[in-house]
Each structure stands twice: as C-alpha cells, then as structure tokens.
Amino acid sequence: MSYEFILTEAQYQPHVALIRLNRPKELNALNLQLMQEIKHALLEFDQNEDVRCIIITGNERAFAAGADIKQMESRTAIDMLVIDQFETWDQIRKTKKPVIAAVSGFCLGGGCELAMTCDMIVASETAKFGQPEIKLAIMPGAGGTQRLTRAVGKALAMEMVLTGKFISADEAMEAGLINRVVPEELYLEEAVKLAKEIAQQSPVAVRLAKESVLKAFDTGLQEGLYFERKNFYMCFASEDQKEGMNAFVEKRNAVFKGR
Ligand code: HXC
C-alpha cells in the first residue's frame, strides 16, 4: 500500500521498522487519513516476522502538533460519533510489537497522545509536550487525561490539561513521561539504539512481557499478578527460552528466533 502522509521502512535497521509522519508544513497535524495510515503500517509491521521493534517519528520541528484542527473545526458531536476515529486509535494501541516514539519539537494534543500510546518515548532536548486542547474549548480525547495522569501524576497532569501549558523535554523526563532526553541531532539514533537492544531479545518473551506491563494499567494487583504468571509460564513453551538459558550456561551469546 502506498501512503500519502507517512513514510515507512520495514528494514530501517536490522529488525527495526520506521514510520515517519510526513505533513511537515502542517507540523504533522493528525488528520483522519494519516491516523489510518499509521494504523495500517503498524499492522503490516506487526505481521512481518523480520520486524521486532517499530519507531514512530516526525521531523526536527514537530512530532505532531495535534489532531488536525482545520478538519475538526466544523464537525458536530454526531459527526464525531459516526466517524468513530477512536476505533483507529484502539487498533494502534493493540500493536503487539514494541513501539518507540522518537520525538523532536512540538508533541501536542493528539500528538502527545500518540506518543503516549507508544511503549517508550525518546526525546530531543527541543521537544515540547502539552495537551493544549483546553484553549480550543475542547479536551483531550485519545487518552490524554488518562495516560498523562498515570505517567506524571495528578498535579502536573491537571495543570497541563486545564491550562494547556507545555513542558520541556527535561521536565517531561523528570516527571516520568519519557525515557531519554538527548541532543536534537541524536534523538532518532538514540531511539534506534534502544530499538536494536529490544530487537536482540526473544520476540516471544518481548511480546508476552509488553502485554504484561500494559496489563498493569487495566487491572488490580492480584489479577495483574495472575496474568503475569500465565505469561511467565508461556515463555517456557518457546525454543528461545531453551536457547537463552543454554547460552547462559555455555557462556555464549544467545540467538533468538521468535519460536
Ligand atoms: C491543523 C495545524 C495544527 C493543527 C499547526 N498547524 N498545528 N493545522 N491542526 N493541530 C498548521 C498551522 O495552521 C500552520 O499552517 C502551520 O501548521 C504552522 O503552524 P504555525 O502556527 O504557523 O507555527 P508556530 O507559530 O510555530 O506555532 C506552532 C504551534 C501552533 C504552537 C504548534 O501551530 C499551535 O498552537 N498549533 C495547535 C496546537 C494544538 O492546539 N493542538 C491540539 C489540537 S486538538 P498555515 O497553513 O496556517 O500556515 C487535538 C485533539 C485530539 O489534538 C483529540 C484526539 C484525536
């Protein structure tokens, strides 16, 4: 499939796929088609056995400045209901392989929500995070009030959501929203480094472990522990587990096949 608003590379690096948002003049504003394209690319990479980790990025000036305001401006509540754009977001969230957001510049509104839907965020020191929807007399709708609050806590989330203020990459790092801050020229490289490290692990164990960490957001502790245990047992059904433990005993590097 050819895309209009994103660029994709299945083998950007060995086992690492890249999705680049590509509406630079509009600061990568997320229109409906762009979101559909991200969903489609993620599904394609999820099904490609060569891909073990996926990076979503924008450009130096913007990861994404939010949902496309011009596209939303005249919509009614019923238009929004019928369009049902969050079905697309739900599909994005269901990606089984790890997804890393490599963020530089503006990461606002739906852009910040997209980054938070990813599993980890690597940021340039020029990144700015915010949920400025309140200034448009709306509010976050793709997880901003929930994921931001879980990541940074009530005090900062409430302030960001109610005032629309932006926070810097350093502030985001301190608040626990992101994994790394690096100089602007290194943010994609750093995300690739992280992706490659994950890609070296057993894809089976990575998939089960990602699923288990995400479960912590949806369940109480007891149910979460039970879920974790099942996935832990499941790891022992893989050839990779035998290889990993064998390699340790034989003092050599493990080679994982995802089986
Ligand atoms: C549509 C956008 C846009 C957006 C920027 N542009 N953000 N178009 N939707 N979200 C367009 C501008 O209209 C302009 O195009 C071009 O990109 C460059 O933007 P400027 O404003 O000229 O740049 P600058 O002065 O540097 O200001 C950057 C900015 C500002 C601070 C990021 O653009 C801004 O405030 N953008 C809106 C941020 C926002 O409110 N996001 C939340 C959206 S609501 P033209 O053609 O006019 O020159 C949302 C809800 C999510 O995300 C709900 C779930 C899906």
Side-chain angles (χ1 to χ4, degrees):
M1 179 173 169
S2 69
Y3 300 116
E4 188 179 347
F5 296 123
I6 61 172
L7 303 169
T8 63
E9 251 181 273
Q11 286 296 337
Y12 180 66
Q13 294 282 315
H15 300 307
V16 178
L18 185 79
I19 299 174
R20 187 186 287 281
L21 312 193
N22 192 32
R23 286 187 85 196
K25 274 199 242 118
E26 294 83 5
L27 305 184
N28 291 331
L30 305 168
N31 63 22
L32 295 175
Q33 185 183 329
L34 194 159
M35 292 309 299
Q36 287 280 352
E37 291 183 2
I38 294 175
K39 177 187 87 170
H40 194 280
L42 284 172
L43 193 63
E44 197 179 303
F45 292 149
D46 232 7
Q47 289 167 347
N48 179 343
E49 279 203 49
D50 268 352
V51 173
R52 293 186 177 185
C53 193
I54 304 159
I55 297 174
I56 301 183
T57 195
N59 55 54
E60 279 65 31
R61 188 162 175 226
F63 177 74
D68 189 327
I69 299 168
K70 292 166 191 164
Q71 194 176 50
M72 283 186 298
E73 185 189 0
S74 61
R75 294 235 202 271
T76 66
I78 301 303
D79 291 335
M80 298 299 268
L81 182 81
V82 170
I83 290 166
D84 193 18
Q85 64 181 312
F86 297 118
E87 175 58 25
T88 307
W89 288 76
D90 288 345
Q91 288 301 322
I92 290 173
R93 188 178 52 83
K94 286 184 189 156
T95 306
K96 295 180 180 73
K97 290 174 186 166
V99 185
I100 299 172
V103 173
S104 177
F106 297 112
C107 185
L108 307 175
C112 189
E113 290 171 309
L114 177 62
M116 290 190 293
T117 304
C118 297
D119 300 306
M120 281 163 282
I121 303 175
V122 173
S124 144
E125 59 197 2
T126 60
K128 290 182 186 66
F129 298 86
Q131 297 290 162
E133 290 92 338
I134 201 76
K135 295 184 172 170
L136 302 166
I138 59 165
M139 57 174 280
T145 63
Q146 302 304 298
R147 291 201 179 91
L148 186 67
T149 307
R150 282 166 163 81
V152 307
K154 178 184 163 192
L156 181 56
M158 197 64 95
E159 188 175 334
M160 288 172 71
V161 169
L162 299 190
T163 69
K165 87 163 192 169
F166 300 167
I167 59 170
S168 68
D170 284 337
E171 287 169 303
M173 185 71 205
E174 197 179 329
L177 180 62
I178 65 178
N179 296 70
R180 307 235 200 307
V181 186
V182 293
E184 188 181 80
E185 62 276 15
L186 294 179
Y187 74 98
L188 186 53
E189 204 174 295
E190 188 67 22
V192 167
K193 217 188 278 177
L194 182 57
K196 279 181 163 172
E197 209 176 319
I198 295 165
Q200 278 171 23
Q201 317 304 327
S202 157
V204 178
V206 165
R207 174 174 167 170
L208 295 171
K210 165 174 168 164
E211 196 181 58
S212 300
V213 172
L214 288 179
K215 197 73 178 172
F217 290 95
D218 295 334
T219 61
L221 182 60
Q222 203 48 50
E223 196 188 329
L225 288 171
Y226 188 67
F227 187 89
E228 176 190 76
R229 206 160 299 163
K230 296 278 184 197
N231 277 1
F232 175 74
Y233 293 149
M234 176 79 102
C235 292
F236 285 77
S238 71
E239 292 170 28
D240 283 350
Q241 174 267 330
K242 301 288 175 283
E243 165 64 8
M245 294 195 178
N246 242 306
F248 174 81
V249 172
E250 292 171 4
K251 300 187 188 299
R252 60 173 173 84
N253 290 329
V255 180
F256 296 121
K257 293 189 296 201
R259 292 284 156 187

